[in-house]
Amino acid sequence: PAAAMPFPSSGADDAFDYLFKIILIGDSNVGKTCVVHRFKTGQYNEKQQNPIGVDFTVRSMDIDGKKVKIQVWDTAGQERFRTITQSYYRSAHGAILAYDLTRRSTFESIPHWIHEIEKYGAANLVMMLIGNKSDSLDKRQVLFEDACTLAEKHGLLAVLETSAKEAQNIEEVFTLMAKELIARNTLQLQGENPLNSFSLDSRPVIASPSVEKTQCSC
Amino acid sequence: PASSSRSCRLEEVPLEVLRQRESKWLDMLNNWDKWMAKKHKKIRLRCQKGIPPSLRGRAWQYLSGSKVKLEQNMGKFDELDLLTGDPKWLDVIERDLHRQFPFHEMFVSRGGHGQQDLFRVLKAYTLYRPEEGYCQAQAPIAAVLLMHMPAEQAFWCLVQICEKYLPGYYSEKLEAIQLDGQILFSLLHKVSPVAYKHLSKQKIDPILYMTEWFMCAFSRTLPWSSVLRVWDMFFCEGVKIIFRVGLVLLKHTLGSSDKLKSCQGQYETMERLRALSPKIMQEAFLVQEV
């Protein structure tokens, strides 16, 4: 299926049913660029240069028979780049907030990133939390339960622990996000309150075989 | 792209020409003040032709004034080098060390000499200008310098770039780079109305495509031989070279209705600007257009 295949660079006139813009934010060096790289190419590249400013990637996915084009906007994590990256929050449909589960401080910054989104993003923007580097569980500094508590408190869509290195949950992150956005889109088209879409069950429970309970639906 | 640093082959300059250029440059460097005062135009011309690789590092220090700066501040770098530094900056710097030209032999190994020197230079800058601290875009700049000169020299050259060539680019709010984005865009209006109109219509903010170009002085964008030629001119003529290169790239990517046929949408355009045609980035073509 298309979802599992790297998608070649987009042509001007290939058709799609949905187009979603997703921003990827979080502290420096939590693995944002590696996550995008894995999503786009299916590969892990340890020798990844850090983005300066904003970078973007497009990939098409097949979701329930619909062709969904996903643009991921990868951002520089350093504080001072926020004045530049903020201007891209406004038009985003979704935001993936990333922390490094082996580094507590990156998790503690998450409320700050949420605040940024609330301040500069659209009101109905869908937020999701990912704890990257689940390949290094022996160095874990953030409990999955803590991440779930935080996500619940802020009304985020879900929390997933990911590994760009070992390809854990990367597809799932984007699939989940896309499904939620499709669901909300459908509701909005029907003229219902988009907030109600929280109750919509568009969140399949995914447990990757090697890591148990890597996702909570909040 | 990261891979560009792997190919260090320069445009073939005949050996004889190279020897001639070297002796001309040696003469200039040995009588620098005289040349700067009386024959600046000639220096500019020679920078446009490309500085001989064997003298490039030295020439950059003369051109930027970092050589004088070092002489005026003897021992300063060693002093800063001995200090510990603010952990807030050290943490970010350390996480960036392995992400600069990761394929270059100098920076390939974790904790190797290249990465160690990069750390020393960047740390020293945060102590030299504590109110400025560290900006992630300074790392690729410092790395290119370290490929051409020792740490102390690279430090003063970095100081000159941050304070004289690109003032404010790396400061807290990044205001200078955003302003230069607007300037670039208005210059584009004159240079290539077609490209300007297209970018306006697609609502593509300059900050989206020029941040990395300008903040890293194209060191991550162009093939390596072009980077060096651009830097030769940049050290001589300053930021206007960066603007000119930017304009050449935009014009030759989006500057005709023919070129725009295959990038009608915002994202196709962005994609195109992210993956520029190798032809227009080639040393010979680019330098002649600039």
Side-chain angles (χ1 to χ4, degrees), chain A residues 9 11 28-29 49-50 52 55-56 71 73 78 80 83 88 103, chain B residues 95 99-100 132 134 136 170 172-174 207-208 220 267 270 274:
Chain A
S9 67
S28 190
N29 205 227
Q49 296 198 99
N50 49 325
I52 301 295
D55 200 355
F56 93 102
Q71 295 154 10
W73 297 68
Q78 198 187 10
R80 67 181 62 182
T83 53
Y88 296 94
R103 199 149 47 100
Chain B
R95 293 181 190 287
R99 304 199 279 178
Q100 315 306 324
E132 296 271 311
Y134 166 67
Q136 291 189 305
Y170 310 105
E172 187 57 41
K173 299 279 179 199
L174 302 184
I207 225 61
L208 248 188
R220 284 179 166 196
Y267 302 99
M270 278 302 301
R274 251 170 40 91

PDB file of all heavy atoms in Angstrom, chain A residues 9 11 28-29 49-50 52 55-56 71 73 78 80 83 88 103, chain B residues 95 99-100 132 134 136 170 172-174 207-208 220 267 270 274:
ATOM      1  N   SER A   9       9.005  12.651  -5.093  1.00  0.00           N
ATOM      2  CA  SER A   9       8.680  14.078  -4.975  1.00  0.00           C
ATOM      3  C   SER A   9       7.448  14.419  -5.807  1.00  0.00           C
ATOM      4  O   SER A   9       7.249  13.925  -6.905  1.00  0.00           O
ATOM      5  CB  SER A   9       9.865  14.932  -5.409  1.00  0.00           C
ATOM      6  OG  SER A   9      10.072  14.752  -6.790  1.00  0.00           O
ATOM      7  N   GLY A  11       4.466  15.708  -7.972  1.00  0.00           N
ATOM      8  CA  GLY A  11       4.226  16.376  -9.242  1.00  0.00           C
ATOM      9  C   GLY A  11       3.156  17.423  -9.042  1.00  0.00           C
ATOM     10  O   GLY A  11       2.453  17.416  -8.043  1.00  0.00           O
ATOM     11  N   SER A  28      15.589  21.284  20.682  1.00  0.00           N
ATOM     12  CA  SER A  28      16.666  20.890  19.782  1.00  0.00           C
ATOM     13  C   SER A  28      17.152  19.478  20.100  1.00  0.00           C
ATOM     14  O   SER A  28      17.240  19.085  21.265  1.00  0.00           O
ATOM     15  CB  SER A  28      17.813  21.879  19.960  1.00  0.00           C
ATOM     16  OG  SER A  28      18.771  21.684  18.966  1.00  0.00           O
ATOM     17  N   ASN A  29      17.425  18.731  19.032  1.00  0.00           N
ATOM     18  CA  ASN A  29      18.044  17.402  19.175  1.00  0.00           C
ATOM     19  C   ASN A  29      17.168  16.332  19.849  1.00  0.00           C
ATOM     20  O   ASN A  29      17.674  15.396  20.447  1.00  0.00           O
ATOM     21  CB  ASN A  29      19.396  17.540  19.911  1.00  0.00           C
ATOM     22  CG  ASN A  29      20.354  16.405  19.588  1.00  0.00           C
ATOM     23  OD1 ASN A  29      20.964  15.826  20.456  1.00  0.00           O
ATOM     24  ND2 ASN A  29      20.471  16.059  18.327  1.00  0.00           N
ATOM     25  N   GLN A  49      21.953  16.723   9.298  1.00  0.00           N
ATOM     26  CA  GLN A  49      22.261  18.109   9.679  1.00  0.00           C
ATOM     27  C   GLN A  49      21.019  18.716  10.322  1.00  0.00           C
ATOM     28  O   GLN A  49      19.905  18.402   9.948  1.00  0.00           O
ATOM     29  CB  GLN A  49      22.670  18.913   8.444  1.00  0.00           C
ATOM     30  CG  GLN A  49      23.950  18.413   7.809  1.00  0.00           C
ATOM     31  CD  GLN A  49      24.569  19.449   6.888  1.00  0.00           C
ATOM     32  OE1 GLN A  49      25.488  20.156   7.241  1.00  0.00           O
ATOM     33  NE2 GLN A  49      24.039  19.540   5.692  1.00  0.00           N
ATOM     34  N   ASN A  50      21.238  19.586  11.295  1.00  0.00           N
ATOM     35  CA  ASN A  50      20.095  20.226  11.939  1.00  0.00           C
ATOM     36  C   ASN A  50      19.517  21.316  11.034  1.00  0.00           C
ATOM     37  O   ASN A  50      20.267  22.076  10.441  1.00  0.00           O
ATOM     38  CB  ASN A  50      20.501  20.818  13.294  1.00  0.00           C
ATOM     39  CG  ASN A  50      21.755  21.657  13.216  1.00  0.00           C
ATOM     40  OD1 ASN A  50      22.667  21.355  12.462  1.00  0.00           O
ATOM     41  ND2 ASN A  50      21.813  22.726  13.967  1.00  0.00           N
ATOM     42  N   ILE A  52      18.124  24.724   9.741  1.00  0.00           N
ATOM     43  CA  ILE A  52      18.223  26.125  10.147  1.00  0.00           C
ATOM     44  C   ILE A  52      16.941  26.776   9.649  1.00  0.00           C
ATOM     45  O   ILE A  52      16.739  26.874   8.446  1.00  0.00           O
ATOM     46  CB  ILE A  52      19.467  26.795   9.507  1.00  0.00           C
ATOM     47  CG1 ILE A  52      20.757  26.076   9.905  1.00  0.00           C
ATOM     48  CG2 ILE A  52      19.522  28.285   9.846  1.00  0.00           C
ATOM     49  CD1 ILE A  52      21.121  26.128  11.371  1.00  0.00           C
ATOM     50  N   ASP A  55      12.001  23.632   7.415  1.00  0.00           N
ATOM     51  CA  ASP A  55      12.190  22.755   6.267  1.00  0.00           C
ATOM     52  C   ASP A  55      10.877  21.998   6.060  1.00  0.00           C
ATOM     53  O   ASP A  55      10.107  21.846   7.000  1.00  0.00           O
ATOM     54  CB  ASP A  55      13.322  21.768   6.582  1.00  0.00           C
ATOM     55  CG  ASP A  55      13.902  21.171   5.313  1.00  0.00           C
ATOM     56  OD1 ASP A  55      13.368  21.446   4.224  1.00  0.00           O
ATOM     57  OD2 ASP A  55      14.880  20.415   5.423  1.00  0.00           O
ATOM     58  N   PHE A  56      10.613  21.534   4.868  1.00  0.00           N
ATOM     59  CA  PHE A  56       9.360  20.803   4.733  1.00  0.00           C
ATOM     60  C   PHE A  56       9.474  19.595   3.821  1.00  0.00           C
ATOM     61  O   PHE A  56      10.337  19.508   2.966  1.00  0.00           O
ATOM     62  CB  PHE A  56       8.229  21.727   4.298  1.00  0.00           C
ATOM     63  CG  PHE A  56       8.038  21.772   2.816  1.00  0.00           C
ATOM     64  CD1 PHE A  56       7.007  21.061   2.218  1.00  0.00           C
ATOM     65  CD2 PHE A  56       8.897  22.493   2.022  1.00  0.00           C
ATOM     66  CE1 PHE A  56       6.835  21.092   0.849  1.00  0.00           C
ATOM     67  CE2 PHE A  56       8.736  22.517   0.658  1.00  0.00           C
ATOM     68  CZ  PHE A  56       7.699  21.818   0.066  1.00  0.00           C
ATOM     69  N   GLN A  71       1.949  17.344   4.409  1.00  0.00           N
ATOM     70  CA  GLN A  71       3.143  18.187   4.419  1.00  0.00           C
ATOM     71  C   GLN A  71       3.623  18.293   5.843  1.00  0.00           C
ATOM     72  O   GLN A  71       2.871  18.678   6.724  1.00  0.00           O
ATOM     73  CB  GLN A  71       2.812  19.608   3.969  1.00  0.00           C
ATOM     74  CG  GLN A  71       2.367  19.729   2.564  1.00  0.00           C
ATOM     75  CD  GLN A  71       1.505  20.955   2.403  1.00  0.00           C
ATOM     76  OE1 GLN A  71       1.418  21.781   3.310  1.00  0.00           O
ATOM     77  NE2 GLN A  71       0.867  21.069   1.278  1.00  0.00           N
ATOM     78  N   TRP A  73       6.175  20.142   8.284  1.00  0.00           N
ATOM     79  CA  TRP A  73       7.082  21.290   8.408  1.00  0.00           C
ATOM     80  C   TRP A  73       7.973  21.057   9.614  1.00  0.00           C
ATOM     81  O   TRP A  73       7.509  21.056  10.753  1.00  0.00           O
ATOM     82  CB  TRP A  73       6.277  22.591   8.542  1.00  0.00           C
ATOM     83  CG  TRP A  73       5.462  22.851   7.313  1.00  0.00           C
ATOM     84  CD1 TRP A  73       4.385  22.142   6.875  1.00  0.00           C
ATOM     85  CD2 TRP A  73       5.677  23.881   6.327  1.00  0.00           C
ATOM     86  NE1 TRP A  73       3.915  22.667   5.687  1.00  0.00           N
ATOM     87  CE2 TRP A  73       4.683  23.737   5.337  1.00  0.00           C
ATOM     88  CE3 TRP A  73       6.615  24.919   6.195  1.00  0.00           C
ATOM     89  CZ2 TRP A  73       4.595  24.576   4.236  1.00  0.00           C
ATOM     90  CZ3 TRP A  73       6.524  25.766   5.104  1.00  0.00           C
ATOM     91  CH2 TRP A  73       5.525  25.590   4.132  1.00  0.00           C
ATOM     92  N   GLN A  78      15.959  25.458  18.387  1.00  0.00           N
ATOM     93  CA  GLN A  78      16.497  26.466  19.294  1.00  0.00           C
ATOM     94  C   GLN A  78      15.522  27.622  19.491  1.00  0.00           C
ATOM     95  O   GLN A  78      14.902  28.111  18.558  1.00  0.00           O
ATOM     96  CB  GLN A  78      17.838  27.009  18.785  1.00  0.00           C
ATOM     97  CG  GLN A  78      18.619  27.716  19.887  1.00  0.00           C
ATOM     98  CD  GLN A  78      19.880  28.402  19.377  1.00  0.00           C
ATOM     99  OE1 GLN A  78      20.113  28.521  18.183  1.00  0.00           O
ATOM    100  NE2 GLN A  78      20.691  28.867  20.308  1.00  0.00           N
ATOM    101  N   ARG A  80      15.689  30.751  19.791  1.00  0.00           N
ATOM    102  CA  ARG A  80      15.684  31.988  19.012  1.00  0.00           C
ATOM    103  C   ARG A  80      15.110  31.837  17.617  1.00  0.00           C
ATOM    104  O   ARG A  80      14.802  32.836  16.978  1.00  0.00           O
ATOM    105  CB  ARG A  80      17.066  32.632  18.985  1.00  0.00           C
ATOM    106  CG  ARG A  80      18.145  31.919  18.270  1.00  0.00           C
ATOM    107  CD  ARG A  80      19.424  32.716  18.398  1.00  0.00           C
ATOM    108  NE  ARG A  80      19.833  32.838  19.794  1.00  0.00           N
ATOM    109  CZ  ARG A  80      20.894  33.505  20.218  1.00  0.00           C
ATOM    110  NH1 ARG A  80      21.650  34.132  19.352  1.00  0.00           N
ATOM    111  NH2 ARG A  80      21.220  33.564  21.483  1.00  0.00           N
ATOM    112  N   THR A  83      10.817  32.937  16.522  1.00  0.00           N
ATOM    113  CA  THR A  83      10.205  34.087  15.847  1.00  0.00           C
ATOM    114  C   THR A  83       9.981  33.774  14.369  1.00  0.00           C
ATOM    115  O   THR A  83       9.055  34.287  13.758  1.00  0.00           O
ATOM    116  CB  THR A  83      11.086  35.356  15.953  1.00  0.00           C
ATOM    117  OG1 THR A  83      12.405  35.036  15.500  1.00  0.00           O
ATOM    118  CG2 THR A  83      11.126  35.885  17.354  1.00  0.00           C
ATOM    119  N   TYR A  88       4.517  29.992  10.902  1.00  0.00           N
ATOM    120  CA  TYR A  88       3.970  28.846  10.192  1.00  0.00           C
ATOM    121  C   TYR A  88       2.932  28.083  10.986  1.00  0.00           C
ATOM    122  O   TYR A  88       2.314  27.152  10.491  1.00  0.00           O
ATOM    123  CB  TYR A  88       5.115  27.937   9.718  1.00  0.00           C
ATOM    124  CG  TYR A  88       5.901  28.743   8.746  1.00  0.00           C
ATOM    125  CD1 TYR A  88       7.008  29.468   9.136  1.00  0.00           C
ATOM    126  CD2 TYR A  88       5.401  28.926   7.457  1.00  0.00           C
ATOM    127  CE1 TYR A  88       7.638  30.318   8.266  1.00  0.00           C
ATOM    128  CE2 TYR A  88       6.022  29.772   6.574  1.00  0.00           C
ATOM    129  CZ  TYR A  88       7.145  30.468   6.990  1.00  0.00           C
ATOM    130  OH  TYR A  88       7.743  31.331   6.129  1.00  0.00           O
ATOM    131  N   ARG A 103      15.622  12.321  27.842  1.00  0.00           N
ATOM    132  CA  ARG A 103      16.068  13.613  28.362  1.00  0.00           C
ATOM    133  C   ARG A 103      14.883  14.364  28.952  1.00  0.00           C
ATOM    134  O   ARG A 103      14.064  14.924  28.240  1.00  0.00           O
ATOM    135  CB  ARG A 103      16.724  14.403  27.216  1.00  0.00           C
ATOM    136  CG  ARG A 103      17.619  15.514  27.653  1.00  0.00           C
ATOM    137  CD  ARG A 103      18.768  15.754  26.666  1.00  0.00           C
ATOM    138  NE  ARG A 103      18.360  15.807  25.281  1.00  0.00           N
ATOM    139  CZ  ARG A 103      18.170  16.927  24.592  1.00  0.00           C
ATOM    140  NH1 ARG A 103      18.329  18.081  25.158  1.00  0.00           N
ATOM    141  NH2 ARG A 103      17.834  16.860  23.321  1.00  0.00           N
TER     142      ARG A 103
ATOM    143  N   ARG B  95      25.248  19.414  21.430  1.00  0.00           N
ATOM    144  CA  ARG B  95      24.294  18.634  20.644  1.00  0.00           C
ATOM    145  C   ARG B  95      24.366  18.945  19.149  1.00  0.00           C
ATOM    146  O   ARG B  95      23.747  18.257  18.341  1.00  0.00           O
ATOM    147  CB  ARG B  95      22.869  18.878  21.144  1.00  0.00           C
ATOM    148  CG  ARG B  95      22.676  18.339  22.512  1.00  0.00           C
ATOM    149  CD  ARG B  95      21.292  18.537  23.046  1.00  0.00           C
ATOM    150  NE  ARG B  95      21.300  18.176  24.461  1.00  0.00           N
ATOM    151  CZ  ARG B  95      21.370  16.923  24.898  1.00  0.00           C
ATOM    152  NH1 ARG B  95      21.403  15.935  24.030  1.00  0.00           N
ATOM    153  NH2 ARG B  95      21.418  16.669  26.183  1.00  0.00           N
ATOM    154  N   ARG B  99      26.509  17.455  13.984  1.00  0.00           N
ATOM    155  CA  ARG B  99      25.532  17.718  12.918  1.00  0.00           C
ATOM    156  C   ARG B  99      26.028  18.739  11.899  1.00  0.00           C
ATOM    157  O   ARG B  99      25.264  19.304  11.135  1.00  0.00           O
ATOM    158  CB  ARG B  99      24.201  18.193  13.538  1.00  0.00           C
ATOM    159  CG  ARG B  99      23.664  17.193  14.563  1.00  0.00           C
ATOM    160  CD  ARG B  99      22.212  17.384  14.823  1.00  0.00           C
ATOM    161  NE  ARG B  99      21.899  18.458  15.762  1.00  0.00           N
ATOM    162  CZ  ARG B  99      20.653  18.795  16.072  1.00  0.00           C
ATOM    163  NH1 ARG B  99      19.634  18.174  15.498  1.00  0.00           N
ATOM    164  NH2 ARG B  99      20.422  19.751  16.938  1.00  0.00           N
ATOM    165  N   GLN B 100      27.318  19.006  11.912  1.00  0.00           N
ATOM    166  CA  GLN B 100      27.901  19.941  10.946  1.00  0.00           C
ATOM    167  C   GLN B 100      28.816  19.176   9.986  1.00  0.00           C
ATOM    168  O   GLN B 100      29.754  18.545  10.417  1.00  0.00           O
ATOM    169  CB  GLN B 100      28.707  21.032  11.665  1.00  0.00           C
ATOM    170  CG  GLN B 100      28.014  21.625  12.880  1.00  0.00           C
ATOM    171  CD  GLN B 100      26.621  22.138  12.570  1.00  0.00           C
ATOM    172  OE1 GLN B 100      26.358  22.664  11.495  1.00  0.00           O
ATOM    173  NE2 GLN B 100      25.702  21.972  13.505  1.00  0.00           N
ATOM    174  N   GLU B 132      24.920  37.741  23.398  1.00  0.00           N
ATOM    175  CA  GLU B 132      24.502  37.120  22.146  1.00  0.00           C
ATOM    176  C   GLU B 132      24.344  35.607  22.303  1.00  0.00           C
ATOM    177  O   GLU B 132      23.431  35.006  21.745  1.00  0.00           O
ATOM    178  CB  GLU B 132      25.556  37.373  21.061  1.00  0.00           C
ATOM    179  CG  GLU B 132      25.749  38.827  20.696  1.00  0.00           C
ATOM    180  CD  GLU B 132      24.827  39.258  19.584  1.00  0.00           C
ATOM    181  OE1 GLU B 132      24.759  38.540  18.573  1.00  0.00           O
ATOM    182  OE2 GLU B 132      24.164  40.296  19.740  1.00  0.00           O
ATOM    183  N   TYR B 134      24.821  31.700  21.784  1.00  0.00           N
ATOM    184  CA  TYR B 134      25.067  30.825  20.642  1.00  0.00           C
ATOM    185  C   TYR B 134      23.816  30.718  19.782  1.00  0.00           C
ATOM    186  O   TYR B 134      22.708  30.572  20.283  1.00  0.00           O
ATOM    187  CB  TYR B 134      25.482  29.438  21.140  1.00  0.00           C
ATOM    188  CG  TYR B 134      25.449  28.355  20.088  1.00  0.00           C
ATOM    189  CD1 TYR B 134      26.337  28.391  19.010  1.00  0.00           C
ATOM    190  CD2 TYR B 134      24.522  27.309  20.140  1.00  0.00           C
ATOM    191  CE1 TYR B 134      26.304  27.403  18.032  1.00  0.00           C
ATOM    192  CE2 TYR B 134      24.499  26.315  19.177  1.00  0.00           C
ATOM    193  CZ  TYR B 134      25.384  26.368  18.120  1.00  0.00           C
ATOM    194  OH  TYR B 134      25.355  25.390  17.155  1.00  0.00           O
ATOM    195  N   GLN B 136      22.357  28.440  16.478  1.00  0.00           N
ATOM    196  CA  GLN B 136      22.654  27.201  15.759  1.00  0.00           C
ATOM    197  C   GLN B 136      23.233  27.415  14.358  1.00  0.00           C
ATOM    198  O   GLN B 136      23.940  26.558  13.853  1.00  0.00           O
ATOM    199  CB  GLN B 136      21.399  26.333  15.672  1.00  0.00           C
ATOM    200  CG  GLN B 136      20.996  25.769  17.030  1.00  0.00           C
ATOM    201  CD  GLN B 136      19.904  24.738  16.929  1.00  0.00           C
ATOM    202  OE1 GLN B 136      18.848  25.004  16.366  1.00  0.00           O
ATOM    203  NE2 GLN B 136      20.134  23.555  17.492  1.00  0.00           N
ATOM    204  N   TYR B 170      22.560  36.520  14.001  1.00  0.00           N
ATOM    205  CA  TYR B 170      22.480  35.417  14.958  1.00  0.00           C
ATOM    206  C   TYR B 170      21.956  35.864  16.323  1.00  0.00           C
ATOM    207  O   TYR B 170      21.937  35.090  17.261  1.00  0.00           O
ATOM    208  CB  TYR B 170      23.872  34.776  15.095  1.00  0.00           C
ATOM    209  CG  TYR B 170      24.475  34.453  13.748  1.00  0.00           C
ATOM    210  CD1 TYR B 170      25.494  35.222  13.197  1.00  0.00           C
ATOM    211  CD2 TYR B 170      23.969  33.393  13.003  1.00  0.00           C
ATOM    212  CE1 TYR B 170      26.011  34.932  11.937  1.00  0.00           C
ATOM    213  CE2 TYR B 170      24.472  33.104  11.745  1.00  0.00           C
ATOM    214  CZ  TYR B 170      25.506  33.875  11.219  1.00  0.00           C
ATOM    215  OH  TYR B 170      25.999  33.588   9.968  1.00  0.00           O
ATOM    216  N   GLU B 172      19.406  37.370  19.339  1.00  0.00           N
ATOM    217  CA  GLU B 172      18.209  36.852  19.990  1.00  0.00           C
ATOM    218  C   GLU B 172      16.931  36.764  19.130  1.00  0.00           C
ATOM    219  O   GLU B 172      16.375  35.710  18.961  1.00  0.00           O
ATOM    220  CB  GLU B 172      17.945  37.684  21.254  1.00  0.00           C
ATOM    221  CG  GLU B 172      16.836  37.156  22.136  1.00  0.00           C
ATOM    222  CD  GLU B 172      17.055  35.711  22.596  1.00  0.00           C
ATOM    223  OE1 GLU B 172      18.208  35.375  22.927  1.00  0.00           O
ATOM    224  OE2 GLU B 172      16.077  34.933  22.621  1.00  0.00           O
ATOM    225  N   LYS B 173      16.478  37.852  18.576  1.00  0.00           N
ATOM    226  CA  LYS B 173      15.174  37.820  17.895  1.00  0.00           C
ATOM    227  C   LYS B 173      15.273  37.531  16.394  1.00  0.00           C
ATOM    228  O   LYS B 173      14.253  37.481  15.696  1.00  0.00           O
ATOM    229  CB  LYS B 173      14.437  39.155  18.098  1.00  0.00           C
ATOM    230  CG  LYS B 173      14.135  39.490  19.541  1.00  0.00           C
ATOM    231  CD  LYS B 173      12.890  38.758  20.028  1.00  0.00           C
ATOM    232  CE  LYS B 173      12.627  39.102  21.484  1.00  0.00           C
ATOM    233  NZ  LYS B 173      11.752  38.122  22.132  1.00  0.00           N
ATOM    234  N   LEU B 174      16.479  37.368  15.910  1.00  0.00           N
ATOM    235  CA  LEU B 174      16.700  37.123  14.480  1.00  0.00           C
ATOM    236  C   LEU B 174      16.030  38.181  13.594  1.00  0.00           C
ATOM    237  O   LEU B 174      15.480  37.860  12.545  1.00  0.00           O
ATOM    238  CB  LEU B 174      16.203  35.726  14.086  1.00  0.00           C
ATOM    239  CG  LEU B 174      16.793  34.511  14.804  1.00  0.00           C
ATOM    240  CD1 LEU B 174      16.239  33.230  14.196  1.00  0.00           C
ATOM    241  CD2 LEU B 174      18.307  34.482  14.739  1.00  0.00           C
ATOM    242  N   ILE B 207      11.487  34.204   4.295  1.00  0.00           N
ATOM    243  CA  ILE B 207      12.086  33.504   5.430  1.00  0.00           C
ATOM    244  C   ILE B 207      12.101  31.990   5.221  1.00  0.00           C
ATOM    245  O   ILE B 207      12.945  31.264   5.727  1.00  0.00           O
ATOM    246  CB  ILE B 207      11.335  33.903   6.738  1.00  0.00           C
ATOM    247  CG1 ILE B 207      12.317  34.207   7.840  1.00  0.00           C
ATOM    248  CG2 ILE B 207      10.394  32.855   7.220  1.00  0.00           C
ATOM    249  CD1 ILE B 207      13.241  35.298   7.596  1.00  0.00           C
ATOM    250  N   LEU B 208      11.145  31.536   4.395  1.00  0.00           N
ATOM    251  CA  LEU B 208      11.035  30.095   4.142  1.00  0.00           C
ATOM    252  C   LEU B 208      12.183  29.524   3.323  1.00  0.00           C
ATOM    253  O   LEU B 208      12.573  28.387   3.490  1.00  0.00           O
ATOM    254  CB  LEU B 208       9.726  29.822   3.394  1.00  0.00           C
ATOM    255  CG  LEU B 208       8.674  29.057   4.144  1.00  0.00           C
ATOM    256  CD1 LEU B 208       7.526  28.694   3.240  1.00  0.00           C
ATOM    257  CD2 LEU B 208       9.238  27.796   4.776  1.00  0.00           C
ATOM    258  N   ARG B 220      25.582  25.282   3.164  1.00  0.00           N
ATOM    259  CA  ARG B 220      24.843  24.016   3.144  1.00  0.00           C
ATOM    260  C   ARG B 220      24.023  23.858   1.873  1.00  0.00           C
ATOM    261  O   ARG B 220      23.277  22.899   1.736  1.00  0.00           O
ATOM    262  CB  ARG B 220      23.885  23.968   4.322  1.00  0.00           C
ATOM    263  CG  ARG B 220      24.553  23.691   5.625  1.00  0.00           C
ATOM    264  CD  ARG B 220      23.488  23.697   6.657  1.00  0.00           C
ATOM    265  NE  ARG B 220      23.932  23.121   7.907  1.00  0.00           N
ATOM    266  CZ  ARG B 220      23.061  22.755   8.838  1.00  0.00           C
ATOM    267  NH1 ARG B 220      21.787  22.881   8.645  1.00  0.00           N
ATOM    268  NH2 ARG B 220      23.508  22.253   9.968  1.00  0.00           N
ATOM    269  N   TYR B 267       3.661  24.345  -2.814  1.00  0.00           N
ATOM    270  CA  TYR B 267       4.551  23.298  -2.343  1.00  0.00           C
ATOM    271  C   TYR B 267       5.492  22.807  -3.425  1.00  0.00           C
ATOM    272  O   TYR B 267       6.639  22.465  -3.161  1.00  0.00           O
ATOM    273  CB  TYR B 267       3.743  22.186  -1.687  1.00  0.00           C
ATOM    274  CG  TYR B 267       2.959  22.792  -0.568  1.00  0.00           C
ATOM    275  CD1 TYR B 267       1.610  23.135  -0.722  1.00  0.00           C
ATOM    276  CD2 TYR B 267       3.601  23.172   0.605  1.00  0.00           C
ATOM    277  CE1 TYR B 267       0.931  23.794   0.283  1.00  0.00           C
ATOM    278  CE2 TYR B 267       2.929  23.825   1.620  1.00  0.00           C
ATOM    279  CZ  TYR B 267       1.590  24.134   1.452  1.00  0.00           C
ATOM    280  OH  TYR B 267       0.922  24.794   2.440  1.00  0.00           O
ATOM    281  N   MET B 270       8.137  25.419  -3.382  1.00  0.00           N
ATOM    282  CA  MET B 270       9.038  25.216  -2.249  1.00  0.00           C
ATOM    283  C   MET B 270       9.995  24.055  -2.502  1.00  0.00           C
ATOM    284  O   MET B 270      11.175  24.116  -2.225  1.00  0.00           O
ATOM    285  CB  MET B 270       8.230  24.925  -0.985  1.00  0.00           C
ATOM    286  CG  MET B 270       7.684  26.137  -0.295  1.00  0.00           C
ATOM    287  SD  MET B 270       8.994  27.282   0.159  1.00  0.00           S
ATOM    288  CE  MET B 270       9.973  26.212   1.221  1.00  0.00           C
ATOM    289  N   ARG B 274      14.036  24.025  -2.721  1.00  0.00           N
ATOM    290  CA  ARG B 274      14.804  23.193  -1.804  1.00  0.00           C
ATOM    291  C   ARG B 274      15.788  22.292  -2.543  1.00  0.00           C
ATOM    292  O   ARG B 274      16.841  21.957  -2.038  1.00  0.00           O
ATOM    293  CB  ARG B 274      13.861  22.323  -0.984  1.00  0.00           C
ATOM    294  CG  ARG B 274      13.748  22.716   0.462  1.00  0.00           C
ATOM    295  CD  ARG B 274      12.614  21.951   1.093  1.00  0.00           C
ATOM    296  NE  ARG B 274      12.579  20.565   0.628  1.00  0.00           N
ATOM    297  CZ  ARG B 274      13.210  19.578   1.239  1.00  0.00           C
ATOM    298  NH1 ARG B 274      13.907  19.811   2.317  1.00  0.00           N
ATOM    299  NH2 ARG B 274      13.132  18.347   0.774  1.00  0.00           N
TER     300      ARG B 274
END
